[in-house]
Amino acid sequence: MTFLAHALSRVKPSATIAVTQKARDLKAQGREVISLSVGEPDFDTPEHIRNAGKAAIDRGETRYTPVLGIPQLREAVARKFKRENGLDYKASDTIVATGGKHILFNAFLATINPGDEVIITAPYWVSYPEMVAICGGKSVFVDTKMEDGFKLQPEALEAAITHKTKWLVLNSPSNPSGAAYSYDEMKKVTDVLLRHPQVHVLTDDIYEHLVYGDFKFVTPAQVEPNLIERTLTMNGVSKAYAMTGWRIGYAAGPSKLIKAMDLLQGQQTSGACSIAQWAAVEALDGPQEHLATFRKAFQERRDLVVSMLNQAKYLKCPTPEGAFYVFPSCAEAIGRKTPAGKVIETDEDFVTELLEAEGVAVVHGSAFGTGPNFRISYAASALTLETACEKIQSFCASLK
């Protein structure tokens, strides 16, 4: 008998956390390091939201809350889905948890039996397959292509569905590619799902408000209302409201699923932080002017990074629709040598040598299921990004 659970053997450490820690270690050794590995806005939480948190403390809102969330926040969530997405969820259809990751994990834990299949598009956020593995499910990866904008094609989705398929996970805009689905693109996906009533949809909409230019965000149940009874629509305040540390995620979905997640959460964490929940009420119901400021800054940074990376030797970088990531290809660098004679055999070699040579930390694409690519987070100042991109250009130019 072993002490640790067998499930741990199915789980890999987070590559993004590993790269971030390596960058910290190099900094501790006195190296100058620019870390573009973390998916976290560099803005402060807007003042009116911070003030709502302070006011909650002063009112004594510091005790246990209902497992599903305080009524005021669940009502705000329902209003948000109606106002911004045209979805008619009742407050009783909603759940609040300790971050979006907690929502996703509870949904999988509440529904997956051994052998159940979950379709995940590659490139994917690193935690999706690990959550599925912990719950005893099987991840079915569907590759996407740069020439298709890293978006799931309906024919590929159709081919991946079996009688064991329980979920499709759809992240738009995407981490790591920044790809987002237009109405027409999403409609092609939902048309496939209508033909397979056993498949449920788990939408990760956490980057909803971070889309650029004239792009219009849509979510699956908005495009195809007939899917609402088998869709869990997940979102949170972390990215659009610069509240990563407040740890508030929320979702709405079928009552049977919400009740099951309530049961699990009641034995895990119970309710999320009371103070953070009151701040989230203000985030959803309060002034939204900061969103335009965030979007403008991120779009300018995106355009800067895409332009500079496309000027680097051996790199090709598409322009994503949203989030704050780019996912360039380094395929032309594979097989080339560094000045020290090291052969770049994989995208992991590329990012490792980039960190050693130039002190720029990014994440290799194979960690997200697609290579040879790498992910850059442009949630940093323009000056930092310009310096980092110059270093990337220098590194690429040194390869022979």
Side-chain angles (χ1 to χ4, degrees):
M1 178 184 294
T2 60
F3 176 63
L4 297 178
H6 295 307
L8 290 177
S9 66
R10 303 193 293 265
V11 182
K12 299 188 297 290
S14 167
T16 54
I17 293 175
V19 171
T20 302
Q21 186 57 50
K22 186 170 183 179
R24 290 194 189 108
D25 292 343
L26 288 175
K27 283 185 178 180
Q29 296 168 20
R31 287 283 305 275
E32 289 189 9
V33 176
I34 299 175
S35 181
L36 303 180
S37 59
V38 179
E40 181 172 44
D42 59 322
F43 301 109
D44 290 331
T45 304
E47 184 177 13
H48 65 284
I49 300 173
R50 300 199 307 269
N51 287 339
K54 295 172 189 176
I57 294 172
D58 292 340
R59 290 198 309 273
E61 307 281 4
T62 56
R63 293 176 171 79
Y64 290 133
T65 70
V67 172
L68 286 167
I70 59 173
Q72 294 85 346
L73 180 51
R74 297 177 72 199
E75 289 162 3
V77 167
R79 286 192 294 272
K80 174 262 182 285
F81 281 131
K82 177 63 175 178
R83 178 179 69 246
E84 297 181 352
N85 309 112
L87 298 174
D88 289 316
Y89 288 118
K90 301 186 294 292
S92 58
D93 297 325
T94 67
I95 181 171
V96 176
T98 310
K101 185 179 285 189
H102 193 196
I103 293 281
L104 299 170
F105 189 84
N106 278 350
F108 287 141
L109 192 60
T111 58
I112 292 177
N113 293 310
D116 284 346
E117 294 177 352
V118 177
I119 295 175
I120 299 172
T121 61
Y124 47 76
W125 181 46
V126 294
S127 291
Y128 296 143
E130 308 310 321
M131 292 179 184
V132 172
I134 291 172
C135 296
K138 177 185 177 183
S139 293
V140 175
F141 300 112
V142 179
D143 292 331
T144 62
K145 300 176 182 178
M146 182 181 287
E147 52 264 38
D148 293 327
F150 293 117
K151 298 174 191 178
L152 177 63
Q153 299 302 296
E155 301 82 5
L157 173 59
E158 187 80 59
I161 294 173
T162 74
H163 68 282
K164 295 182 179 180
T165 306
K166 182 157 284 185
W167 286 105
L168 165 66
V169 178
L170 203 58
N171 177 208
S172 174
S174 161
N175 175 6
S177 71
Y181 293 77
S182 68
Y183 182 96
D184 290 342
E185 290 166 338
M186 187 69 78
K187 186 67 168 63
K188 291 176 181 178
V189 171
T190 58
D191 283 350
V192 173
L193 295 170
L194 286 176
R195 297 194 289 271
H196 300 276
Q198 84 278 18
V199 182
H200 292 68
V201 191
L202 204 166
T203 78
D204 183 346
D205 297 348
I206 198 76
Y207 296 97
E208 170 186 1
H209 290 294
L210 302 181
V211 294
Y212 310 118
D214 296 327
F215 188 88
K216 303 296 183 185
F217 171 84
V218 291
T219 195
Q222 175 185 13
V223 171
E224 181 47 76
N226 288 319
L227 288 177
I228 197 165
E229 283 304 312
R230 47 189 174 108
T231 300
L232 182 69
T233 304
M234 189 281 286
N235 212 314
V237 296
S238 294
K239 312 299 184 179
Y241 298 92
M243 295 176 68
T244 52
W246 296 77
R247 307 311 304 135
I248 295 293
Y250 58 83
S255 59
K256 185 176 181 180
L257 176 58
I258 297 300
K259 288 177 182 177
M261 293 168 67
D262 178 25
L263 175 65
L264 288 172
Q265 193 162 298
Q267 298 297 346
Q268 292 173 335
T269 60
S270 295
C273 170
S274 58
I275 300 157
Q277 288 191 61
W278 282 103
V281 172
E282 178 64 18
L284 296 182
D285 280 348
Q288 305 290 307
E289 285 82 0
H290 74 280
L291 292 175
T293 303
F294 282 16
R295 278 194 294 267
K296 182 176 184 294
F298 281 133
Q299 181 170 342
E300 290 173 351
R301 296 171 185 184
R302 178 201 66 174
D303 294 345
L304 170 68
V305 171
V306 169
S307 175
M308 292 190 71
L309 291 180
N310 279 325
Q311 294 172 47
K313 291 181 70 174
Y314 314 129
L315 300 185
K316 292 181 180 178
C317 184
T319 302
E321 292 87 355
F324 39 66
Y325 309 104
V326 292
F327 198 63
S329 168
C330 56
E332 293 181 23
I334 303 302
R336 301 185 184 275
K337 292 182 179 180
T338 68
K342 166 70 176 179
V343 177
I344 305 294
E345 296 181 349
T346 65
D347 52 16
E348 187 168 4
D349 288 343
F350 181 92
V351 303
T352 299
E353 294 303 314
L354 173 63
L355 180 57
E356 291 293 338
E358 298 287 348
V360 177
V362 299
V363 187
H364 51 290
S366 54
F368 304 98
T370 299
N373 294 73
F374 60 97
R375 189 195 77 171
I376 286 179
S377 167
Y378 53 85
S381 72
L383 179 60
T384 297
L385 293 169
E386 186 173 358
T387 302
C389 288
E390 287 173 350
K391 288 177 176 290
I392 293 171
Q393 289 175 346
S394 176
F395 173 72
C396 289
S398 75
L399 301 177
K400 303 299 181 184

